[in-house]
Amino acid sequence: MENQTRIVISGYYGFDNIGDEAVLYCIIDKLRKNIPHVDITVLSNNPEYTSKTYKVKSVDRWYTKHIIQSLHNCDILISGGGSLLQDITSNKTVPYYLAIVAMAKLLGKQVIYYSQGIGPITNRFNRLLTKIVTNQVDAIYVRDLSSKQLLQQLGVRRPIQLSIDPVFDISPTTTISLPNAKRVGIYLREWNNIEQIVTAMVPTCKMLLKLGYHIYFISMQYKTDIKMASLIVDQLAIQLTDYTNVFIIDKQLNIHETLAYTANFDFIIGMRLHSLIIAYALNKPMIALSYDPKVENIMAEMNITHCIDIKTLTSEKLIDRVNYVTSHLSDEIDIIKTTKLNKIKLVDAPIDFITNNTINILGIKISNVTMHQAVQAFDEFVNSDTLNSIFTPNPEIIMAATKDPLLKQILNNASLVVPDGIGVVIASKILKGRCLKHRVAGYDLIQNTMKASKNKQYKYYFLGSKPEIVKAAAYNMQKKYPNIDIVGYRDGYFDEDQIKHINKEITASKANILLVALGCPKQEKWIAHNAHLLPNIRVAIGVGGSFDVMSGKVKRAPKHFQNLGLEWLYRLIQQPSRFKRMLLLPMFLLKIIEKRLIASPIKNKTKKEQQQVLVE
């Protein structure tokens, strides 16, 4: 399918763990809602189940050949969510997930950590491996502050963004009818102090029964969790003559059933991390039994203090917490609703990165947009409350950025970076990741945005070029597009000590769009250093030689040259002095080919092999 975005998801999936399946369900749901043509492949312990349940492609997470094939065919690898990078359960967990990330990067793919919980990581080799591999990841989103701090302690220097577990935004899709009574859900798991847990839970359950509660034991990983529930109910059967209001949900639930049950409870007691997150998403008060720092971290993120370390758990501590929560249910619900207002905004942070839809060309993130999408984005920028920068790099500018760290940083921090040269589009095809949809020439973008202005809502200030050129450009554009308002112009021949005066002049003009034609990298650096000082400017765009064309001094290449991607040749014929600059184009393409050869030595499989790899 044209413009399809191909995504591989790696995580702890296909193990009948409702918490991790809830994470997968939420990620897939977000991707489908936000990306029109998304093709999803999940690495799973049970590919057949995963494929059937989520209507995705799925491959065996243990079959290296199939994993590599999937990564080779994808645009983006999502690693997460959940707690993937930890070695509390096994020393093999960290190397497994990082190996998949490393393979994706070797194949030249974008990688994103999707709201992961990090740690504990105690093994020295695992800590070193996490540092090395994570420093290659394109976007890192962690679900709590402790995870961010741990990565920083390990030496990760990449930007680390705080988001929250995607399950925070989950909602029921079905209902279950339960007897009309006060109800509590209990979500336990096996741990190494089973006897201590049972000893604390039995008196607590007896107290809850006296308070008139119906008790429901929910298994989020049925084969293991059901044992804990059975041990407690067996003890209740010995000690009580009537325990008819105690229910074990004796089957493997799916995500939707788990949500439906949780929605019926007045509060929950949860040992399973995602039982707590689901309860929070459904505004249900909770008491956490923490067996792992990740539980304490999540409770801290939710600003909920009812958390008991499983190692120090006693019936007295638990009953004390239960008494408090049952006496303050409405207050607890209000706390959740209040804190959730700010937290929930962070759920979409990883999706926002993915849908930003950028393609990495020699370290520069190019926006993969059509002209129509770029014009729409421009309009949104003009009507926003903040400054937005737009740059239009061609191969020459990208090559300059590979040698100029400041220019590279400025380009990668921009609101929109469109591929001005056909060479950039060709480069994306050579790299064989996601291909850029179209060339979006800077001059054409400006013309189309001017055309889109209504009732002079776009107020332009032209800065740069020679005095006669910028004056003619402003005059011609105002005549051509009477629906815009060109409120000022200034040539590009000024000294450093004149910049403050120029800034005051631009501010006084009330312009909301600034076109800067100072040539690369001067115009990009000028925008980065000065545009934020201009309170009315909503869009600042580097326009290179566009004023020359607007003024009529330079003729635009005929349409057939443009359509064939040969505008550079037409300009070279017009201006032979550009010959030395044109030599950068073959150098640029050679660098791209070199990167491609290093990144992707894998050959395509036959159709028969592809059918074996993917479970449709």
Side-chain angles (χ1 to χ4, degrees), residues 197-209:
I197 296 170
V198 172
T199 301
M201 286 302 307
V202 170
T204 305
C205 288
K206 288 164 71 175
M207 187 267 283
L208 284 165
L209 290 170

Side-chain angles (χ1 to χ4, degrees), residues 400-431:
T402 63
K403 299 174 183 177
D404 185 339
L406 178 57
L407 176 60
K408 181 178 179 180
Q409 182 183 357
I410 291 168
L411 292 175
N412 284 336
N413 287 337
S415 307
L416 189 69
V417 181
V418 297
D420 182 80
I422 191 64
V424 182
V425 178
I426 293 170
S428 73
K429 293 177 180 178
I430 294 171
L431 290 171

Side-chain angles (χ1 to χ4, degrees), residues 105 108 110 138 158 358-367 393 397-414 417 424 427 431 588 591-592 595:
K105 291 310 299 176
Q110 279 196 319
D138 297 276
R158 300 283 296 161
T358 59
I359 292 177
N360 191 308
I361 306 291
L362 298 184
I364 305 302
K365 296 173 184 176
I366 307 294
S367 304
I397 293 174
I398 291 176
M399 287 292 284
T402 63
K403 299 174 183 177
D404 185 339
L406 178 57
L407 176 60
K408 181 178 179 180
Q409 182 183 357
I410 291 168
L411 292 175
N412 284 336
N413 287 337
V417 181
V424 182
L431 290 171
F588 169 76
K591 265 192 169 292
I592 293 293
K595 183 175 177 63

Side-chain angles (χ1 to χ4, degrees), residues 296-503:
E296 295 159 23
N297 293 341
I298 287 292
M299 292 294 285
E301 289 296 316
M302 296 188 293
N303 296 318
I304 297 173
T305 58
H306 309 303
C307 185
I308 305 172
D309 190 323
I310 207 75
K311 295 190 293 291
T312 63
L313 177 66
T314 63
S315 58
E316 290 79 13
K317 285 184 179 180
L318 186 52
I319 287 171
D320 178 65
R321 289 294 88 200
V322 168
N323 276 327
Y324 181 87
V325 170
T326 54
S327 302
H328 299 83
L329 283 175
S330 60
D331 293 339
E332 294 291 307
I333 292 169
D334 288 342
I335 289 170
I336 293 172
K337 287 180 177 179
T338 302
T339 58
K340 198 163 67 172
L341 288 174
N342 291 324
K343 296 291 179 187
I344 210 71
K345 295 175 184 176
L346 298 173
V347 170
D348 288 334
I351 286 291
D352 289 342
F353 172 84
I354 294 169
T355 54
N356 188 33
N357 210 12
T358 59
I359 292 177
N360 191 308
I361 306 291
L362 298 184
I364 305 302
K365 296 173 184 176
I366 307 294
S367 304
N368 191 12
V369 292
T370 62
M371 178 62 75
H372 176 69
Q373 290 170 329
V375 172
Q376 280 187 319
F378 186 97
D379 188 66
E380 290 172 9
F381 294 161
V382 174
N383 290 292
S384 71
D385 296 324
T386 57
L387 169 70
N388 299 272
S389 57
I390 300 176
F391 298 118
T392 62
N394 55 22
E396 183 183 349
I397 293 174
I398 291 176
M399 287 292 284
T402 63
K403 299 174 183 177
D404 185 339
L406 178 57
L407 176 60
K408 181 178 179 180
Q409 182 183 357
I410 291 168
L411 292 175
N412 284 336
N413 287 337
S415 307
L416 189 69
V417 181
V418 297
D420 182 80
I422 191 64
V424 182
V425 178
I426 293 170
S428 73
K429 293 177 180 178
I430 294 171
L431 290 171
K432 293 247 178 135
R434 284 180 297 166
C435 294
L436 288 165
K437 296 169 185 174
H438 297 286
R439 177 194 177 206
V440 181
Y443 178 82
D444 291 334
L445 176 59
I446 296 162
Q447 298 298 302
N448 280 288
T449 55
M450 287 181 170
K451 198 183 299 181
S453 178
K454 297 173 184 176
N455 301 321
K456 298 195 174 184
Q457 69 177 127
Y458 292 180
K459 301 180 186 300
Y460 289 85
Y461 191 99
F462 286 24
L463 176 65
S465 197
K466 295 178 180 178
E468 66 275 14
I469 295 294
V470 68
K471 181 179 180 180
Y475 175 80
N476 290 344
M477 291 304 101
Q478 186 66 80
K479 186 176 179 181
K480 185 177 181 180
Y481 301 107
N483 54 315
I484 66 172
D485 194 359
I486 298 179
V487 295
Y489 58 85
R490 170 70 159 78
D491 66 75
Y493 293 83
F494 51 82
D495 298 324
E496 191 73 25
D497 57 2
Q498 293 177 281
I499 290 178
K500 283 186 180 179
H501 173 73
I502 293 169
N503 288 348

Side-chain angles (χ1 to χ4, degrees), residues 179-368:
N180 188 22
K182 295 189 292 185
R183 295 179 289 260
V184 57
I186 299 178
Y187 306 70
L188 301 177
R189 62 167 294 167
E190 273 192 308
W191 204 244
N192 50 25
N193 59 338
I194 291 175
E195 188 176 338
Q196 184 179 358
I197 296 170
V198 172
T199 301
M201 286 302 307
V202 170
T204 305
C205 288
K206 288 164 71 175
M207 187 267 283
L208 284 165
L209 290 170
K210 284 183 181 179
L211 291 174
Y213 278 89
H214 286 197
I215 300 171
Y216 293 83
F217 285 91
I218 305 293
S219 298
M220 295 191 72
Q221 193 162 21
Y222 179 73
K223 291 178 182 177
T224 58
D225 296 3
I226 195 67
K227 296 175 186 177
M228 290 296 295
S230 298
L231 285 171
I232 293 166
V233 174
D234 287 347
Q235 286 296 311
L236 290 173
I238 293 169
Q239 298 180 31
L240 297 173
T241 55
D242 182 11
Y243 59 98
T244 55
N245 290 336
V246 179
F247 306 94
I248 296 178
I249 309 305
D250 195 7
K251 68 170 186 173
Q252 175 67 54
L253 298 174
N254 61 34
I255 302 160
H256 306 292
E257 291 169 329
T258 304
L259 286 168
Y261 272 108
T262 307
N264 276 286
F265 301 143
D266 296 297
F267 74 102
I268 76 155
I269 299 172
M271 192 171 169
R272 286 282 183 186
L273 177 69
H274 278 93
S275 69
L276 303 166
I277 294 174
I278 288 171
Y280 187 87
L282 302 181
N283 298 323
K284 301 297 176 181
M286 70 205 73
I287 299 168
L289 306 181
S290 174
Y291 66 93
D292 185 292
K294 67 183 182 183
V295 178
E296 295 159 23
N297 293 341
I298 287 292
M299 292 294 285
E301 289 296 316
M302 296 188 293
N303 296 318
I304 297 173
T305 58
H306 309 303
C307 185
I308 305 172
D309 190 323
I310 207 75
K311 295 190 293 291
T312 63
L313 177 66
T314 63
S315 58
E316 290 79 13
K317 285 184 179 180
L318 186 52
I319 287 171
D320 178 65
R321 289 294 88 200
V322 168
N323 276 327
Y324 181 87
V325 170
T326 54
S327 302
H328 299 83
L329 283 175
S330 60
D331 293 339
E332 294 291 307
I333 292 169
D334 288 342
I335 289 170
I336 293 172
K337 287 180 177 179
T338 302
T339 58
K340 198 163 67 172
L341 288 174
N342 291 324
K343 296 291 179 187
I344 210 71
K345 295 175 184 176
L346 298 173
V347 170
D348 288 334
I351 286 291
D352 289 342
F353 172 84
I354 294 169
T355 54
N356 188 33
N357 210 12
T358 59
I359 292 177
N360 191 308
I361 306 291
L362 298 184
I364 305 302
K365 296 173 184 176
I366 307 294
S367 304
N368 191 12

Side-chain angles (χ1 to χ4, degrees), residues 65-117:
K65 177 182 175 182
H66 293 177
I67 293 172
I68 293 174
Q69 176 65 41
S70 298
L71 293 175
H72 180 255
N73 291 331
C74 82
D75 303 310
I76 301 170
L77 169 69
I78 288 175
S79 181
S83 303
L84 304 186
L85 300 183
Q86 52 80 25
D87 53 18
I88 195 170
T89 55
S90 169
N91 273 330
K92 297 177 182 178
T93 303
V94 172
Y96 171 82
Y97 290 112
L98 291 180
I100 292 171
V101 171
M103 281 190 279
K105 291 310 299 176
L106 285 171
L107 292 167
K109 309 302 179 179
Q110 279 196 319
V111 177
I112 176 172
Y113 284 180
Y114 197 118
S115 302
Q116 281 204 38

